[in-house]
Amino acid sequence: MDPRETDPPAGTAVPAGGRRPVRSFRAWRRRRPFWGGLLLLLGGGEILLTEQASISVVLQAGAGGIAAYLLPLVMAVCGLLVLLNPAQRLFYSVVGVLVSLGTWVTSNLGGFFVGLLLGLIGSSLAFGWLPDQEPRHWRRRSHRETV
């Protein structure tokens, strides 16, 4: 008998769809540079959160003040686009690296280095992702191999 067809033990909650949402998310994630896009998105978000100036100060500061908010926003958009359109990942990752380096000057040293590093690492991961590569199968050791 198939173990998936057996009833769960009493008292355990099983979602109506079973494990389908987890499997479908994993399948979606494997078809795109997920970690690169996520890190690029988080880097842009972190830099946006470390900005301390109010909008009135930004408008008075001019182009430099607007760039402090515009560059991290472009970083976050590039991270989203890497996730949603992996066919164009090379362009988005190059733009992400350039914008991440631009935040060094405009946005509190790139969000105190954290957002800058997240953006650079995420862009590099997205650039290096290969869509036609075979997925790696991690083999778990069985109990017999460890004994």
Side-chain angles (χ1 to χ4, degrees):
M1 179 177 236
D2 190 16
R4 290 176 286 184
E5 294 176 357
T6 61
D7 292 332
T12 58
V14 177
R19 298 192 53 82
R20 285 190 182 139
V22 173
R23 287 184 184 168
S24 63
F25 175 72
R26 284 183 184 164
W28 178 82
R29 187 185 70 194
R30 287 184 182 129
R31 291 189 308 262
R32 58 201 70 243
F34 179 75
W35 294 110
L38 184 66
L39 288 177
L40 188 57
L41 179 66
L42 289 175
E46 194 273 334
I47 294 173
L48 279 173
L49 290 176
T50 59
E51 293 294 324
Q52 297 294 323
S54 65
I55 293 297
S56 62
V57 172
V58 169
L59 292 177
Q60 291 174 357
I66 293 173
Y69 284 97
L70 186 63
L71 292 180
L73 187 65
V74 170
M75 274 178 69
V77 168
C78 282
L80 266 174
L81 289 173
V82 163
L83 290 174
L84 299 177
N85 189 8
Q88 300 297 321
R89 73 189 183 286
L90 297 176
F91 175 73
Y92 299 137
S93 62
V94 169
V95 170
V97 165
L98 294 175
V99 170
S100 296
L101 291 173
T103 62
W104 172 268
V105 177
T106 61
S107 303
N108 295 331
L109 296 175
F112 304 111
F113 301 111
V114 176
L116 173 73
L117 289 176
L118 285 173
L120 291 176
I121 292 169
S123 295
S124 300
L125 285 174
F127 189 84
W129 180 75
L130 297 174
D132 54 353
Q133 188 177 19
E134 288 290 323
R136 294 186 181 151
H137 297 286
W138 297 100
R139 209 181 74 179
R140 293 184 183 180
R141 292 185 178 181
S142 66
H143 179 61
R144 287 178 283 170
E145 290 180 20
T146 58
V147 176

